[in-house]
C-alpha cells in the first residue's frame, strides 16, 4: 500500500501529468502480478463508458455559448436590482449573480471569466479596492462547484457510482449557505470600510431587469426544473441547455454566429477530454487498488487510530484542503474518491454527503495557491496581483472553511433535501 | 534543427490539426445527437435506441482524439510546483522524464489496445450491427499519435534546453 501511494506521489511531484502518473503506477505494480496488460486499455475504455459523462462537454458548451452571447450582463443587472440596495451593494451583486450563473454554467472558471470582466471594473470605479473586487469575484464563483448543475458532482457521481441527481439536490442548501455566508462577510467589509449601497430598492427596476434577463433565466428553470422534477437525466438537461443557449445566442441576442461554433466545441472538448483522460487512467489505477484491497486496508488503518467519525472527518478535510492547494479539483476527485470513499462509508458517512464535503473542499482548493485555477483567472481578468487578492481572499477562504465544517458535522444540511424529494 | 526534426515537427502539427478536426466533428456529433435524442424522446415519443450505447463510446473517441493535442500544447493537468523551482538542467531532465513516462503508458495502452481491437472485431454492439472495434481502434491510433507528439516534445526540450511554454492554457 505504501509503495503504491509513494510511487504515485513521487511521479506527480516530479511533474508527470496526473493522468499519466495514475496509469504508470498501475502498470508498474501490475507487472508484478499475473494480470495481463490487456486490462489497461480495457479499463480505460470501460471506466469512461458512463452516459452521465456526456453531460460534461454539453454543460461546458452551454457555458461557453452563454459567455459569448453576453448573458452575464443581464444576470448582473438582475442581481443588482435585487441586492444592490444592501451596504456593499456591488459585492452582494457579485455573489448573487454568481449564484444564478452557477445554475447555468456548472463551472467556476467560466463564471469568474464571464463576470469578472464586467463587475471588477465597475467595483473599482465605485471605490472598492482592486484586490477585494477580484477576491469576492473569485470566491463567489466557487459556488458553481456546489450549486447544481455542478461538473464536480457529475465527475464524483460517475466515479463513486452515486446518483448525480441526488448529488445535485444535496448541493442546493450548502450552496445557498455558502452564498449567504459570503454575503455576511462582505457586509462586514462594507461596514468596516464604509462602502455604499447601490441605491434604494425599486420594484420598477426589478421588473425591467427581470424582463431583460427572462431568456437567460429560462435556462436554470429548464435545467434544474427538468432534473429535479425527474423529467430529464442530467445528460439530457445538458443537451437542452445547449439547444437553449444556441437559440438565445443566435436568435434572441444575435451575438453568436455559426462560424463561432467550431471553436466553442473545440474548447469544450479539450476541457472535457483532459479531465476524462484522468478518469480513464484512474479506472485502471482504481481497479488495481480494489483488486489488492488497498482502500479497505487504508480504512482499517485509519479507524484503528481513531474510530471517532468526527475526528476522522476533521483530518480528512485537512488532507483534502492541503491536496487542493497542489491539485485541480477534478484531479483531486479522481485521486481521492477511490481511496477515501471506503473509509468514509466505513465510519458511517453517506457517500452523497461526502460528495458535498469534497465539493466544498474543492471550493477552498480553487482559492489557495499555488494551484488555484479560479483565483488565477480572477487575477488574470482583473490585473490584480495574487498577494493583493489574498489580502482579502483569506477571509473568504475562512468563510468557506466555516461552511465546510458546518456541512461536515450537520449531515442534514446536505441530505435533508434529497431525502425529502427523492425519498 | 535537422531535416528529421523539421519533418517530425511538420508531421506533428498536421496530426494535431487532424485531431482538432476529429474533436470538432465528434463534439458536434455528440451535441446534435443528444439534442435530437431529447427531441425524439419527449416530442416524438420514440427514443433513439442506440444513443445510450454509441454516445459514451464516441466520448472515448473524443478523449483519445484530444490526448495528442493535450500533450502537444502541454495542457494536461500536472503539479508544476517543483518543476518551476528547480534548475534548468534538472527541469530539462524532468521534462524528458514526463514525456518518457507518457511513451510508456501509451506504449502499453496502444500495444495491448491493438490486441483488444482484434478481440472486438467479433463483438457487435447491442443496439446496432456495428463491431465494437470501430471505436476501440481509436486507442492504438491515438497511442501512435501521442508517441509522435512526445518524441517531438523531447527533441524540442533538448533543442531549447528548457521546457517549451504552454500553448493552450486551459486553466
Amino acid at each position: 500500500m505504501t509503495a503504491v501511494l509513494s510511487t504515485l506521489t513521487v511521479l506527480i511531484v516530479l511533474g508527470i501529468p496526473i493522468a499519466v502518473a495514475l496509469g504508470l503506477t498501475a502498470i508498474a505494480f501490475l507487472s508484478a502480478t499475473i494480470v495481463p496488460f490487456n486490462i489497461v486499455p480495457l479499463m480505460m475504455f470501460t471506466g469512461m463508458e458512463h452516459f452521465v459523462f456526456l453531460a460534461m462537454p454539453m454543460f461546458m458548451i452551454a457555458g461557453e455559448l452563454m459567455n459569448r452571447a453576453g448573458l452575464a450582463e443581464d444576470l448582473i443587472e438582475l442581481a443588482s436590482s435585487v441586492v444592490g440596495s444592501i451596504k456593499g451593494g456591488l459585492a452582494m451583486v457579485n455573489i448573487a449573480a454568481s449564484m444564478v450563473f452557477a445554475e447555468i454554467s456548472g463551472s467556476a472558471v467560466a463564471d469568474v471569466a464571464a463576470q469578472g470582466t464586467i463587475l471588477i471594473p465597475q467595483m473599482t470605479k465605485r471605490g472598492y479596492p482592486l484586490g477585494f473586487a477580484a477576491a469576492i469575484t473569485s470566491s463567489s464563483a466557487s459556488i458553481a462547484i456546489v450549486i447544481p448543475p455542478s461538473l464536480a458532482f457529475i465527475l464524483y457521481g460517475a466515479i463513486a457510482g452515486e446518483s448525480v441527481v441526488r448529488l445535485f439536490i444535496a448541493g442546493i442548501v450548502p450552496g445557498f449557505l455558502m452564498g449567504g455566508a459570503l454575503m455576511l462577510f462582505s457586509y462586514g467589509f462594507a461596514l468596516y470600510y464604509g462602502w455604499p449601497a447601490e441605491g434604494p430598492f425599486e420594484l420598477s427596476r426589478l421588473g425591467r431587469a427581470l424582463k431583460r434577463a427572462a431568456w437567460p433565466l429560462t435556462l436554470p428553470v429548464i435545467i434544474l426544473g427538468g432534473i429535479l422534477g425527474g423529467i430529464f437525466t442530467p445528460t439530457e438537461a445538458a443537451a437542452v441547455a445547449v439547444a437553449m443557449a444556441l437559440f438565445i445566442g443566435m436568435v434572441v441576442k444575435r451575438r453568436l454566429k455559426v462560424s463561432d461554433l467550431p471553436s466553442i466545441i473545440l474548447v469544450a472538448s479539450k476541457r472535457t477530454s483532459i479531465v476524462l483522460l484522468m478518469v480513464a487512467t484512474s479506472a485502471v489505477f482504481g481497479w488495481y487498488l480494489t483488486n489488492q484491497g488497498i482502500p479497505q486496508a487504508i480504512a482499517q488503518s485509519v479507524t484503528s487510530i481513531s474510530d471517532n467519525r468526527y475526528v476522522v472527518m476533521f483530518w480528512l478535510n485537512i488532507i483534502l484542503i492541503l491536496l487542493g492547494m497542489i491539485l485541480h479539483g477534478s484531479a483531486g476527485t479522481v485521486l481521492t474518491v477511490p481511496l477515501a470513499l471506503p473509509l468514509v462509508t466505513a465510519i458511517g458517512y453517506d457517500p452523497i454527503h461526502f460528495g458535498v464535503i469534497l465539493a466544498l473542499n474543492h471550493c477552498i482548493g480553487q482559492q489557495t495557491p499555488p494551484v488555484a485555477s479560479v483565483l488565477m483567472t480572477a487575477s488574470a481578468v482583473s490585473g490584480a496581483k495574487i498577494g493583493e487578492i489574498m489580502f482579502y481572499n483569506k477571509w473568504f477562504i475562512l468563510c468557506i472553511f466555516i461552511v465546510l465544517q458546518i456541512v461536515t458535522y450537520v449531515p442534514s444540511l446536505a441530505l435533508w433535501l434529497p431525502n425529502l424529494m427523492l425519498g | 534543427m535537422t531535416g528529421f526534426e523539421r519533418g517530425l515537427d511538420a508531421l506533428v502539427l498536421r496530426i494535431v490539426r487532424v485531431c482538432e478536426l476529429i474533436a470538432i466533428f465528434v463534439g458536434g456529433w455528440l451535441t446534435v445527437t443528444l439534442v435530437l435524442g431529447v427531441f425524439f424522446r419527449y416530442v416524438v415519443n420514440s427514443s433513439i435506441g442506440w444513443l445510450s450505447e454509441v454516445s459514451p463510446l464516441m466520448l472515448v473517441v473524443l478523449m483519445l482524439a484530444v490526448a495528442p493535442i493535450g500533450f502537444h500544447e502541454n495542457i494536461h493537468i500536472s503539479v508544476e510546483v517543483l518543476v518551476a523551482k528547480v534548475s534548468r538542467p534538472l527541469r530539462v531532465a524532468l521534462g524528458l522524464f514526463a514525456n518518457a513516462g507518457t511513451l510508456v503508458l501509451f506504449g502499453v495502452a496502444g500495444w495491448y489496445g491493438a490486441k483488444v481491437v482484434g478481440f472486438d472485431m467479433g463483438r457487435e454492439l447491442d443496439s446496432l450491427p456495428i463491431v465494437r472495434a470501430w471505436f476501440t481502434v481509436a486507442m492504438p491510433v491515438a497511442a501512435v499519435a501521442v508517441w509522435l507528439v512526445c518524441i517531438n516534445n523531447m527533441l524540442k526540450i533538448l533543442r531549447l534546453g528548457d521546457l517549451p511554454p504552454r500553448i493552450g492554457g486551459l486553466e
Side-chain angles (χ1 to χ4, degrees), chain A residues 11 74 104 177 181 246 282 304 332 343 384 418 423:
Chain A
L11 290 178
D74 299 339
I104 304 171
L177 188 66
L246 265 176
S282 80
S304 66
L343 165 66

Side-chain angles (χ1 to χ4, degrees), chain A residues 43-62:
Chain A
M43 286 312 298
M44 282 175 78
F45 246 86
T46 48
M48 289 279 312
E49 283 184 56
H50 293 283
F51 193 66
V52 74
F53 275 137
L54 288 155
M56 287 177 74
M58 292 302 112
F59 277 126
M60 286 197 186
I61 290 172

Side-chain angles (χ1 to χ4, degrees), chain A residues 12-26:
Chain A
I12 290 173
V13 170
L14 289 179
I16 289 195
I18 290 165
V20 177
L22 283 161
L24 276 183
T25 309

Side-chain angles (χ1 to χ4, degrees), chain B residues 19-90:
Chain B
C19 289
E20 282 181 348
L21 292 174
I22 295 171
I24 292 168
F25 171 76
V26 177
W29 186 90
L30 284 172
T31 310
V32 171
T33 50
L34 285 172
V35 171
L36 281 178
V38 175
F39 177 80
F40 273 89
R41 184 170 162 193
Y42 294 102
V43 181
V44 184
N45 209 14
S46 151
S47 296
I48 303 175
W50 48 265
L51 197 64
S52 58
E53 188 180 16
V54 174
S55 300
L57 290 168
M58 287 298 272
L59 188 64
V60 185
V61 173
L62 174 70
M63 175 200 79
L64 291 169
V66 173
I69 307 173
F71 290 111
H72 175 68
E73 297 184 353
N74 192 19
I75 53 173
H76 282 291
I77 298 170
S78 56
V79 175
E80 291 176 345
V81 183
L82 179 73
V83 181
K85 293 227 164 95
V86 297
S87 64
R88 217 162 109 153
L90 197 51

